[in-house]
Every structure is written in C-alpha cells, then in structure tokens.
C-alpha cells in the first residue's frame, strides 16, 4: 500500500485520497482471502523411501479451481510411509512405516505427526511398533483416540491408542489372522486394509491371503477388536481382496480384489455388521491380455460412482452405482498418465481425482465429470518419488 504524504494539502484532497486507499486496501484483502481459500486444500503424499530418492511424506497445495499442484516446504522424513491417515480434527497425521524390521524386531512401525494449522507442515511426535511386518493401511477411529492398522506380511491387525498430543502408546488390541486360500500367494494371511463403518461399531479387514473380509466388533472406548458373528464375508477363491470402501449412504460396500482384477459389491446391515454379496465385476476392458493387479478403490462423495486402479493396464476403472440396489455398471477406463497406479485420492468436493503412479514417480490430476463419472486430464501433475498414498486436508477448517 502507498504511504500517505505528511500533509494532504487540503481536507477534500485528503478525504478523497483516504477513500481511494481504503478501496485499494479492501480489494487487496478480498483478493488475498479468495486466493487463500482457492489454494487451502493440502495434499499429503505417502511414499516408499527405499528407492528413487523419496524422503518421506510430501506436501502439495491443490488449486481447487484448476487442479494445479504446488509443492510446499520440505518432506517430513520417515521411512517408507506407505499409507496415511488424518485425525478428524485435522491436527494429527499418522503413517505406517512399511518395514520388515523395526527396533531389532520383526515388525513395521507407526509414526505420528502434528500438523501446523497455518501451512500444513508435519512434526514427528513418536513411533510405535505395528506388531507385524509390512504394515500397509491405517485409519483413525471416529472418537479420534485410536488408530487401526493392517500388517501385510504379518497377516494381522492391531489397534494403537494415542493422546491429544498425538503420542502413540503400545497396542491395545492385536489379532493374528489364520488360514490360507488356493494360490501360492495365499499360503498364509496377508492383511491388506482395515476400515470402520460410519458408526465406528464394526471394523472390516480385507485379507488377501484368506479371500475374506474379516469383520470385528470394535470397542471405541477401549480400542478392542472382537470377532463378529458371522466373523467374515468371503470372495471367490483366488481373488485376493485388497482395499475396501463404504458407500456414503452406509447401505453398500465394495472391495477390490488384487489378484483376480475384480470388484465385489456388498449390501451392508449396519446393525449386525453383516456383508451380503451382490455381484462381482471385472476391472479390465474386454480383450486385455497383459498382466494386471488392482490396488485401490474409492466411492465418489456423491455416491454415484466407484473407482478402482489397475496396475498393468495402468488405468482407473470407472463404475456407476445403482442407487436402489448398490450394484455396479462399468462406465469405462481412464489411463493414469503413468505406470503402476498404486493409489489415488478423490478430493472432498468430488471435483478431482489424483492418481499416484508409483513406477513413473508422478501424481496426475484428473477432473471428474459429475454426471457421467468419467475422468478428464487437467494437464497438471507433480513429480513425487515412489508415490503410494494420497490424502487431503482443508487447512483452517
């Protein structure tokens, strides 16, 4: 803002100049607020640090008008933070460290961070063992007092409490999965994800090795898991269930099956924690003969579409949801602009999908057509070494 002269020369001149400067000040303030609101959606990218030069969790700002990604600050350094979860209050972030050894034990780890409310910067609080090898998925419970995680090579799930400052304590609950299925990869359990229903009463652990989604009653107060009755929902032998997602309406749920490249739809009884199979569809176009494995699944916030990632075909499979039955109809496929889309994220508004291509070290931004569910490249992407997970946070909200 220009400085006022020591003497305005006349009362009229001074008044006019003051009004002009007030208008300039108001305009500048309004513009700054609008720009801050436009760019205030923070994107956190979890990565593998064992190759390609990644250093940990990366931060970007997403322009919610254009889809442009802008790198912010330095990464929060921690080893292979392959999956992330953000506390409901937006003040804490948790990452699994996908390791086979931690502190001399056969275990991975969990790391907690505080989030700076002004710029989203992460500051490490502490770490705890995950009690199993290669933890690969994590969520925060509804009251915001515990994290639940899945150990892949350990074939187990665990619950860890934390305090208001984010300091993690030792596990309050641990369940070792048992059994096998039909393929060589399924000679033992492989916990691949854990999710909670909307009420936080039941937890669902997709186990690739068992071809099951194990269902647990969840004690939110004490962070305890106990087997539900029935204890699991099954998918076809050799499917390899990986990630799981609820419909926002709470009546349906979907699992993506890594080995078979399929998606299975379920009806959900929230009183009993019961999943009932509705259908299973392939994630690949007809005629595709190459190698493929699926990875991530998400339901659009409007409840009209399901998206799943193909690694090999390197695409996002798009499905429309029947609002009455929960069943899916294939819409099409969108190339992800890179190789091995291990994960993707849909921003809270449902306008953009960000695909994390692990093998080509890039995160590509697509605009979502709200009527058809189809994806359109925005022309924006960001370079990130070995991206694995995409999470969003609206700062100041």
């Amino acid at each position: 803002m220009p400085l006022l002269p020591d003497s305005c020369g006349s009362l009229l001149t001074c008044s006019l100049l003051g009004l002009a400067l007030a208008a300039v000040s108001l305009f500048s303030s309004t513009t700054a607020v609008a720009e801050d609101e436009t760019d205030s959606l923070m994107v956190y990218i979890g990565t593998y640090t064992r190759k390609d030069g990644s250093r940990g969790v990366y931060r970007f700002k997403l322009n919610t008008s254009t889809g442009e990604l802008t790198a912010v600050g330095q990464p929060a350094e921690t080893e292979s933070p392959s999956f992330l979860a953000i506390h409901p209050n937006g003040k804490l972030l948790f990452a699994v460290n996908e390791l086979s050894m931690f502190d001399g034990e056969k275990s991975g780890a969990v790391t907690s961070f505080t989030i700076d409310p002004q710029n989203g910067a992460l500051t490490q609080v502490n770490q705890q063992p995950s009690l199993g090898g290669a933890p690969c998925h994590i969520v925060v419970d509804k009251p915001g007092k515990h994290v639940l995680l899945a150990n892949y090579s350990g074939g187990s799930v665990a619950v860890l409490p934390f305090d208001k400052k984010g300091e993690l304590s030792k596990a309050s609950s641990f369940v070792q999965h048992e059994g096998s299925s039909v393929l060589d990869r399924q000679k033992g359990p492989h916990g691949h994800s854990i999710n909670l229903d909307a009420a936080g009463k039941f937890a669902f652990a997709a186990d690739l090795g068992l071809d099951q989604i194990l269902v647990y009653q969840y004690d939110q107060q004490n962070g305890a898991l106990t087997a539900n009755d029935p204890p699991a929902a099954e998918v076809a032998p050799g499917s390899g269930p990986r990630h799981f997602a609820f419909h926002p309406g709470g009546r349906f749920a979907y699992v993506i099956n890594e080995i078979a490249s399929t998606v299975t739809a379920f009806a959900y009884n929230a009183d009993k924690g019961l999943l009932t199979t509705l259908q299973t569809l392939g994630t690949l176009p007809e005629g595709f003969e190459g190698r493929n494995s699926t990875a991530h699944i998400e339901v659009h916030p409007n409840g009209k579409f399901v998206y799943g990632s193909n690694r090999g075909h390197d695409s996002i499979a798009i499905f429309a949801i029947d609002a009455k039955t929960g069943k899916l109809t294939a819409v099409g496929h969108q190339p992800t602009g890179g190789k091995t889309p291990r994960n993707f994220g849909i921003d809270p508004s449902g306008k953009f999908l960000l695909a994390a291509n692990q093998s080509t070290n890039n995160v590509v931004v697509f605009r979502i057509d709200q009527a058809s569910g189809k994806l359109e490249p925005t022309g924006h992407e960001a370079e990130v070494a070995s991206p694995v997970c995409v999470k969003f946070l609206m700062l100041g909200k």
Side-chain angles (χ1 to χ4, degrees), residues 87-88 92 94 139-148 159-164 167-169 172 218-223:
H87 193 282
L92 300 170
F94 300 90
V139 295
V140 182
D141 68 6
K142 191 176 180 69
K145 295 181 178 180
H146 303 84
V147 293
L148 296 84
V159 183
L160 279 68
F162 59 88
D163 63 19
K164 292 182 179 180
E167 185 165 347
L168 292 157
S169 300
S172 57
Y218 179 58
D219 181 339
Q220 301 183 52
Q221 185 65 31
N222 299 305

Side-chain angles (χ1 to χ4, degrees), residues 54 56 297 329:
S54 171
I297 189 167
T329 302

